[in-house]
Amino acid sequence: MTGAGGLVGTTLVPLWRRAGHDVVPWTRREMDVTRAPDVAAVIADARPDVVVHLAAYTDVDRAEREPDLALAVNGAGTGAVAAACRAAGARCVYVSSDYVLNGEREGPLPTDAPLRPAGAYARAKSAGEQAVRAAGGNWMIARTGWVFGPGGRNFVDTMRERAANRTPSRVVQDQHGAPTSSRFIASVLLELVKAGSGGVWHVAPSGSTTWFEVARLIYTAAGADPALVSPCDSAELGRPAPRPRFAVLDTAATARALGRPLPPWQRDVESYVTTGSLPCSAWEREDP
């Protein structure tokens, strides 16, 4: 696992280990993806069956000031990992982003939607997807978005803290998607990998909402008055990077592959806010 110390990696590593897999976690200290020779050497030495590539430049707004660095990490770095995987005979699983599709029209985005990145971060992640395809070999791309969980700062944590302090919040109402927990991502990826799945997959729970409605749910679950959350439009916040208006991913194929309906997005958000933990997915064995 590259990026093992990040938001998804800190959940994925122990969950996959509990499932009986021999997991080698790589943080930036063990593997700097911008150094292609080192990437090739580390992956060749590990002799992996699968490499889950999580390492990424994730600061969407800062990427507008550092586009070259974002591209070096998310584009060229991903290409180095994919090439090393092919040389080692390993499957490359690249975790990508809904940003690469830049959804502007209402409706779920299919896996074969054309790449339409807007902004430096989105272009860098799109370059990563193209690099995985170009490297060939055995690969899978898993797109997700609106990620939250205990492994790093995220919107749900921020709103939960503000709700606990009864702090008023202005939250955008014109961006649509589905909050996706790190545990959900880790468990879905495990099932797709076990099934030998390749190609492009969308990983998100069922349903869709806006950030405004997510914030209201968080305040309510935390015992705060949801009226403390007021709506605004994206343009009012003046963020440097553009955001997709409709980042709702079509997950029908994912649900069919798992053989079960995907849980609603509210389930993990409410559990995380009220208990600080994330529930098992229906296809995931409960911890002993």
Side-chain angles (χ1 to χ4, degrees), residues 41-157:
V42 171
I43 290 178
D45 183 64
R47 300 174 62 187
D49 296 310
V50 178
V51 173
V52 180
H53 179 39
L54 300 170
Y57 184 113
T58 58
D59 191 325
V60 175
D61 288 325
R62 187 174 178 179
E64 296 300 308
R65 303 193 306 270
E66 299 178 335
D68 292 342
L69 179 58
L71 187 60
V73 175
N74 295 346
T78 298
V81 171
C85 285
R86 180 173 183 179
R91 191 187 330 177
C92 178
V93 178
Y94 176 47
V95 178
S96 187
S97 168
D98 54 66
Y99 272 70
V100 302
L101 302 179
N102 189 32
E104 289 296 330
R105 290 181 297 179
E106 188 170 357
L109 297 162
T111 56
D112 61 354
L115 298 179
R116 297 178 59 247
Y121 167 78
R123 290 192 294 272
K125 292 297 287 186
S126 177
E129 287 199 14
Q130 293 170 316
V132 169
R133 290 183 173 93
N138 189 350
W139 58 268
M140 181 175 80
I141 293 171
R143 297 190 189 116
T144 190
W146 292 32
V147 182
F148 71 95
R153 296 297 302 173
N154 56 82
F155 179 83
V156 176
D157 276 331

Side-chain angles (χ1 to χ4, degrees), residues 170-175 212 230-237:
R170 294 177 70 243
V171 182
V172 294
Q173 63 178 349
D174 58 350
Q175 295 176 26
F212 170 65
S230 59
C232 68
D233 292 335
S234 300
E236 295 179 54
L237 296 184

Side-chain angles (χ1 to χ4, degrees), residues 33-44:
V33 298
T34 64
R35 299 174 62 88
D38 294 345
V39 170
V42 171
I43 290 178

